[in-house]
Each structure stands twice: as structure tokens, then as C-alpha cells.
Amino acid sequence: MSRAKKITMWSGISLFTLIVLLLILLITFDWNRAKPWINNKVSEATGRPFAINGDLSLTWQRGMLQTNTWRDWVPVPRLSARDVVMGQPEWSKQKENMAEVGHIVFSVNPFPLLAKNIVIPSLQLDDPKVVLERLKDGRNNWTFKESDDGPSEWTLDLQRLLFYKGEIALKDEIKNINAKANIDTLDPDKNDRYVIGWKLSGSFNGARISGDGKVGELLALKNVEKPFPIQASLNVGKTSIAVSGTVTKPQELAAVDMRLKLSGPSMADLYPLTGITLPKTPEYSTEGRLIGTTNESGGKWTYENFKGKMGSSDIGGSLTYEGKQPRPLLSGTVVSNLLNFADLGPIIGADSNESKRERGVSTTQPADKILPVEKFTTDRWNSIDADVQITGRKIIKDEALPIDNLSTHLKLQDSVVTLMPLKFGMAGGTLTSNIKMDGSNPTIKAEAKVSARGLKLKQLFPTFQPMQASFGEVNADTSLSATGDSIASFLAGSNGEIKALINDGTISKLLLEQIGLNVGNIVLSTLFGDKQVQLNCMATDLAVENGLVKTRTLIVDTQDAVMYVTGDINLATEQLNLTIRPVSKGLRIVSLRAPLYVNGTFKNPGVGIDKGVLALKAGGAVALGVVAPITALLPLISVGSEEESQCAALLKQAKEKPVAPPPGKKAKSSR
């Protein structure tokens, strides 16, 4: 044998012997001797006290890799450690350790180690207990210190994780969470798709939270092609969330497809959980399909074809949340086939105090006020943009309310909310509003332009019998601006104009006689029936200055009489101060023509008669009656009025569009 062959042979024998000795050493070595070194290195790497207090051992097993190749015959090292403890960082407020594990068992694939990749096919944790903590300043105990040498060249690939009777606690001062989840492996015979189950308890923002759920085998976490099953329910206070479906590549949320159920006292309560700004609503419940993917900006999520209830109204539609910069966007459609008008009350704070308590609102509506005082919260308006079409196809409402349907295009951008247009089908016509509320400052700047077209007199007062024989249409325009934080404060400081017009119609004579206190004709109308009188015009021109509505002109002109209304309405105090002065054009059996005073509050309005004028006219009639019975009627007879010629001018004036100054500013002048 040549010298070279001898060297090669002995080198091979030596290498084989060395490997055998190394394997014998690994098998027979007492790994407990290495615990001080391991404890020290892990403590240095994590910045947390670390210790393996129990037995540390290593065994070799075949068939752990499950590759269906020759590699399955290669023994794989399997380490076992008992009573493993990791302490909290120095700044922690917790007395408990960050992690305690009764028994850790894991194997390591030896082949990827050559490429500095640690592949752990299986990690089993028995009786793990983990306490996660985050302080108000942002420090948390799950972020470990970085190495002075920069990012490690080694990578970790965990493919399978099993829990047995684990517990994870989270104490987060930023999100105000104090919760605990108990985790355990499920019985495989009873759960085909699900492997791990959990139960949750604790509190979130002071509200009690509870829940449970189950997930599939965590071996599927690395399987991009295989959907990972999830089923879970969560209760936060009175809000409930339930999901059931699959997630592809859960660590990246590459694709989510599941059924999502939501319910609670108000949709606004979802903001702390979802980060999505939604309006205040009555009690609701919805169910639909949630599909989505994530990206660096937050992904794109669609709540597709959802259906449910809001109060006593049905709701449905599709909404899409899309992560964008500088803010995410919520877009889509919401439709109600049967919309209870009362269910819209919480959106503007017009619901009852009982409803407010149900929604968790502390503000109560004063017993003597009608205008809603509940404040709009604008602090969330800058967290999201919105572009949503809302439709109420049929409105369920009080019989006296002449509204049939609604539609609006809601937009929220840069803390500015617009409803353009907000359109109601009303009294056979349309009521169209363009509303803008700028919430970029603590005090909201609001603007409203309202246009009424073709409102039928008969349908405006569906429960008022004297109006049911009336014809004619109402057209009106309003332009108002204000600053404030509630409907009541907006109107209390509003400025602008209100104009309305009725032309070429008819109106109930009985109604006019009642307003004009023509007592004799009321009796005749009651005995022989009502009839219609020609309505030449009704023109209204009101100025609104700092919440005080003043009558520039308010006149009703018919073929029989002219009625003038003067005075003001105080929107801040909700006080009425109006005088109605009727002037007869034709002959009346009895025409007292006493002014009417409308006063009191919106809550308790009152109508009174000028008793002095009434007594004077009645006294004159008695005195004249002593002289001649026929002349006694003279003070009560009207023979017409030259003032009716004003109607043409009023109609022309009322057709001018109303204007309003910028929010917070007063009009320069009033006519």
C-alpha cells in the first residue's frame, strides 16, 4: 500500500472515530453541567434573567423530519428542559416572571444548520405561563435588546407549536387591557379541523371581556397553500364579535375569508377594537362575509353583503376598509329597506335619555328642551376618511311626520364631514340638504343649505283634518352657518336666512276662519261643511342672527283675508314670540279680528288672544246695538284691504336665494 493511500485510510478512520466519539459524548454527556453556561448566554442575549432549574437532557430520534426522503433515517437531536424560567426586565411592575414553562421539548433539523438556519420541526410546551406587559411610555417586555454586533446571521423557523394547559396574560397600559387566556390542546377525535382551544377573561377600557375559540394545527402556519382554520368569539362589555373561517399564512394575514358577526349597543363602540370611526347608533347586530389581505399600509378588508338590524330597522350592504396614507379609507354602501326614523336619533343625539344610557352616554337631554344637547365627538374624525352611500328606501315613522325615504352621500375627509346631498322624499316633494361640518378645530364650523321643492300642503299635515282638502305646493330655501358642538349649540348661534313660498293654491277656509277667529263662519262651516278659498300667495322671509329668528316678512294672502305674522323665535332659549294679525277682505257675519299671540317654549307652546282688543270691539258692538240692531254689526264688518297688492312684490323677494355668512360670523346687514 502506498504512503498516500495509508494517509487517506488513517485520516478516514480518524474522522470516523472522532464522529463516533463525539456522538458517544453527546449521548452520554450530562447536559445539566451546561446549564450555567446556557443560562448566562440566554440572559445576556435577552436582557432578562433566565434559568433552567430542572433536568436538561438530549436524545436522538429518527423520523422527526417527515420529508419522505433518506433524511428521515438521520437521527434528529431532541432536547428536553424542565422548570424553565425567564424573569421580567428591571422596569417591570409585575411580581410574576415573564415566562415559566414546566417542560419544554423540541427537536432541531441538523441540515439547515449548515446554512445558519435553525429549523425546529416541533416545539412542545407543557404548563407554560407567560405574562406580557407594556407601560404607558411604550416599553414592553416582549422586545429584547439588540446585539451590539448588529442583526444576527442566523434565522429561526418554527414549524409546529403545541400547548398543554398554558396561560398567557397581557397587561397593557396603553390599550388599558388586563386579560388572561387559558390555552390547551383539544381532543383530536372531537375536533377534526381544530387542534388548540382557548378561553379569555379580563377587562378592556374598564369593560369586562370574555371569549373563547379554537384554531387549527400550528404546523399549517408555514403552509402558504393550506388555509388555517379559526373560530372565535369575543365579548367586550355589551359588544360581541364572532368569527369563523380561514386565514392563509396567518403570520402575514395573506388572505382572510370568514363569517363575521357583530352586535352591541352602538356602532361607535367598535372604534377601540377596530380603529374605524362609526356613527352613534341604537342597538345593532350584523352578519356578513369578511375577506381581506394585509400590506404595509394596513391592507384591504371588505365586509361583504352583510345584513342585520339597527334598532328596529333592517340594514345591509358592503363596506371596504383600505389602508392608505395619510389615513385609511372606509367606502361602500349601506341600505335599509325599512328604516325606523327614530333609529336615526342617536346619530345627532336626539334619542331618549333611556337610549343614551343604553349607549353608555352620560349626557342627558334637559326635560324642558327639544333641541339635542349631546355633543359631537370630533377627536376620531381625523383617524379615517369615508365615502359611503346611504339609502333608506321606506321610512317607518310617526303618522304626523310626512317623510317617505332618504338617501345621502356621506364623506369624511381631513376631519370634515359632508352630507351632499341629504335628500328626503317629503310630502309628495323633496327636501334636499347640503350639510358640512368642519371638525378640524375643537369648535365645529357648520354650514347647511336646505331646499324644499313641491311639498304638498295636504301631505305636510297628514293628521290635521282641516288641511286635507287643501291644495298647493310649498317651495323653500334655507342657508345657515354656525359654530358649536351639538345641534342645540349650532342653532343657538346660527346666522343666515330662511325663505318659503306658496303660490296659486287653495287652503281650507275653516282653517283660516279658526286662525282669524271668525266665530260666526266657524259655526256655519261646522254646520254646512268646509270649502276651499283661493290662496294668492304665502311668502316667508326670515333673518337668523345669532340664533334669533326674526320675521322680515311673513304673510298669507287669500281671496278672503290677509294674515301678517311678526315677532321672533329664540333658538338658544327655545322661546316663541309671534303675533298673528288677520285682516279680512270681504264681508263677515262676525269678524273679531283680534291679534293672536304665539308664545311659550318649543316644548310647551301657547296661543293667546289680545283680550283688550277683543273687549273693545265687543263693547262697541253692544253700544251700537242699543241704537240700531243693524249698525251693531258695522265694527265687525271687513270690506277689503289695499295691502293685498304687496303679494307680488313679496313673491319676487321670496324667490331670491337665502345667504349665510361664514360659520361664526354675523350677516353684514338685514333688510
Side-chain angles (χ1 to χ4, degrees):
M1 183 180 296
S2 66
R3 180 180 179 86
K5 289 182 179 180
K6 289 182 179 180
I7 293 175
T8 301
M9 182 184 67
W10 285 108
S11 297
I13 293 173
S14 299
L15 179 59
F16 177 77
T17 303
L18 181 61
I19 292 175
V20 171
L21 291 175
L22 181 60
L23 290 174
I24 293 174
L25 177 63
L26 289 173
I27 295 172
T28 59
F29 180 73
D30 184 3
W31 286 92
N32 288 304
R33 295 184 179 183
K35 288 194 302 183
W37 180 85
I38 294 174
N39 294 343
N40 183 59
K41 291 299 181 181
V42 174
S43 298
E44 289 182 359
T46 61
R48 312 280 190 273
F50 178 84
I52 301 174
N53 296 320
D55 184 61
L56 177 64
S57 62
L58 180 142
T59 58
W60 296 81
Q61 292 185 340
R62 290 189 309 174
M64 294 290 295
L65 300 181
Q66 299 180 1
T67 62
N68 294 322
T69 66
W70 61 270
R71 296 188 179 189
D72 294 341
W73 293 89
V74 177
V76 172
R78 186 170 183 268
L79 287 96
S80 171
R82 296 184 179 276
D83 192 8
V84 181
V85 177
M86 178 175 287
Q88 298 282 7
E90 294 180 357
W91 48 261
S92 175
K93 298 180 181 180
Q94 306 304 316
K95 296 181 179 180
E96 301 172 285
N97 289 315
M98 177 183 172
E100 297 178 2
V101 184
H103 187 198
I104 299 177
V105 180
F106 66 95
S107 55
V108 179
N109 188 341
F111 298 103
L113 294 175
L114 301 175
K116 296 185 176 180
N117 184 18
I118 303 174
V119 176
I120 300 179
S122 176
L123 173 62
Q124 177 182 318
L125 303 176
D126 294 346
D127 299 323
K129 184 177 181 181
V130 179
V131 179
L132 304 176
E133 179 186 19
R134 183 166 64 170
L135 303 184
K136 288 183 178 180
D137 59 12
R139 286 180 293 176
N140 63 75
N141 65 352
W142 59 82
T143 299
F144 301 105
K145 72 175 186 178
E146 296 183 359
S147 171
D148 296 334
D149 300 329
S152 174
E153 296 180 357
W154 290 80
T155 61
L156 176 64
D157 183 1
L158 175 60
Q159 296 181 335
R160 187 180 186 186
L161 179 62
L162 296 176
F163 289 94
Y164 292 99
K165 298 185 181 303
E167 179 182 300
I168 299 177
L170 173 61
K171 300 180 180 181
D172 189 341
E173 294 183 353
I174 294 179
K175 296 292 186 179
N176 197 15
I177 300 174
N178 187 356
K180 180 175 66 175
N182 295 101
I183 305 173
D184 200 356
T185 299
L186 300 174
D187 185 348
D189 295 333
K190 298 180 180 180
N191 298 273
D192 296 335
R193 303 177 62 198
Y194 303 102
V195 175
I196 295 176
W198 53 270
K199 290 186 177 181
L200 179 68
S201 62
S203 64
F204 174 64
N205 279 334
R208 180 179 175 272
I209 62 175
S210 62
D212 56 56
K214 47 191 177 181
V215 297
E217 186 177 6
L218 296 186
L219 178 62
L221 288 174
K222 290 292 182 178
N223 192 335
V224 179
E225 303 299 328
K226 185 178 180 181
F228 182 72
I230 295 177
Q231 186 181 97
S233 63
L234 175 66
N235 301 308
V236 182
K238 296 181 179 180
T239 299
S240 298
I241 302 173
V243 296
S244 178
T246 60
V247 179
T248 302
K249 206 172 183 181
Q251 69 273 31
E252 298 179 9
L253 291 179
V256 174
D257 188 348
M258 58 182 62
R259 300 296 297 177
L260 171 62
K261 296 181 181 180
L262 299 168
S263 64
S266 175
M267 291 184 185
D269 296 342
L270 290 172
Y271 177 78
L273 300 173
T274 64
I276 300 176
T277 300
L278 295 172
K280 302 170 185 176
T281 68
E283 187 175 0
Y284 71 95
S285 63
T286 67
E287 180 179 0
R289 181 188 182 195
L290 178 66
I291 54 177
T293 57
T294 60
N295 55 34
E296 294 180 355
S297 300
K300 186 175 182 180
W301 305 83
T302 298
Y303 195 26
E304 185 179 73
N305 296 326
F306 68 84
K307 294 182 179 180
K309 301 282 288 184
M310 183 186 73
S312 57
S313 305
D314 72 276
I315 55 173
S318 294
L319 293 171
T320 297
Y321 173 93
E322 189 172 358
K324 290 186 174 183
Q325 295 297 330
R327 288 170 300 277
L329 173 66
L330 180 68
S331 61
T333 59
V334 177
V335 177
S336 175
N337 293 309
L338 289 175
L339 174 62
N340 191 326
F341 196 73
D343 292 333
L344 300 178
I347 297 176
I348 59 172
D351 53 334
S352 66
N353 287 332
E354 182 181 355
S355 173
K356 294 180 193 294
R357 287 191 292 270
E358 187 70 20
R359 293 190 287 115
V361 175
S362 58
T363 303
T364 56
Q365 183 70 20
D368 59 340
K369 299 292 183 182
I370 288 181
L371 300 178
V373 301
E374 184 178 337
K375 295 181 179 180
F376 293 101
T377 54
T378 61
D379 54 319
R380 300 174 182 174
W381 289 11
N382 196 41
S383 65
I384 196 171
D385 289 340
D387 188 339
V388 181
Q389 295 281 350
I390 302 173
T391 302
R393 290 175 176 160
K394 184 177 181 180
I395 292 180
I396 304 171
K397 35 66 175 176
D398 185 89
E399 186 180 359
L401 188 64
I403 295 177
D404 302 313
N405 55 72
L406 75 84
S407 63
T408 189
H409 184 187
L410 183 149
K411 297 189 75 173
L412 170 60
Q413 188 169 6
D414 297 332
S415 295
V416 178
V417 174
T418 59
L419 298 170
M420 294 187 180
L422 171 58
K423 191 173 183 179
F424 289 92
M426 184 174 183
T430 58
L431 184 69
T432 304
S433 304
N434 287 328
I435 298 174
K436 177 181 178 181
M437 293 193 296
D438 186 346
S440 56
N441 295 305
T443 301
I444 301 172
K445 295 180 180 180
E447 300 175 64
K449 296 185 183 298
V450 184
S451 175
R453 292 293 180 269
L455 308 188
K456 306 298 187 295
L457 280 174
K458 178 180 179 179
Q459 297 180 40
L460 267 176
F461 306 95
T463 60
F464 191 42
Q465 192 58 38
M467 270 292 188
Q468 298 313 297
S470 300
F471 294 92
E473 295 183 350
V474 178
N475 297 309
D477 287 301
T478 299
S479 182
L480 295 175
S481 63
T483 59
D485 54 16
S486 67
I487 297 296
S489 63
F490 288 149
L491 293 177
S494 58
N495 293 280
E497 295 179 325
I498 303 171
K499 297 187 179 185
L501 172 65
I502 303 176
N503 195 25
D504 297 330
T506 64
I507 193 168
S508 165
K509 184 176 182 180
L510 176 58
L511 177 61
L512 292 175
E513 300 292 2
Q514 288 175 332
I515 295 176
L517 292 181
N518 292 295
V519 179
N521 278 13
I522 292 176
V523 174
L524 292 176
S525 296
T526 303
L527 290 174
F528 301 107
D530 190 15
K531 71 173 184 178
Q532 296 299 296
V533 297
Q534 180 65 37
L535 178 65
N536 297 323
C537 76
M538 186 199 80
T540 302
D541 185 3
L542 307 177
V544 185
E545 297 180 4
N546 200 27
L548 189 65
V549 182
K550 301 178 181 179
T551 58
R552 292 173 180 160
T553 301
L554 205 169
I555 183 172
V556 180
D557 185 0
T558 74
Q559 65 187 34
D560 289 347
V562 180
M563 286 180 292
Y564 298 92
V565 182
T566 58
D568 57 59
I569 301 172
N570 194 320
L571 298 176
T573 60
E574 299 190 12
Q575 293 286 327
L576 299 167
N577 180 28
L578 298 172
T579 300
I580 303 175
R581 183 167 61 90
V583 178
S584 300
K585 291 181 178 181
L587 186 66
R588 294 289 184 274
I589 296 175
V590 179
S591 182
L592 298 177
R593 293 174 295 167
L596 295 177
Y597 295 113
V598 181
N599 48 35
T601 66
F602 294 178
K603 191 83 170 182
N604 297 297
V607 179
I609 307 169
D610 191 328
K611 296 181 180 178
V613 174
L614 187 62
L616 181 61
K617 289 181 178 248
V622 172
L624 289 172
V626 174
V627 179
I630 295 177
T631 57
L633 298 175
L634 292 178
L636 304 179
I637 293 175
S638 298
V639 293
S641 172
E642 296 179 358
E643 296 175 86
E644 60 185 302
S645 62
Q646 295 181 7
C647 196
L650 291 173
L651 292 176
K652 181 179 179 181
Q653 186 184 97
K655 289 179 179 179
E656 297 176 2
K657 289 290 185 181
V659 295
K665 303 292 183 181
K666 294 183 179 180
K668 292 183 178 180
S669 62
S670 299
R671 290 192 303 273

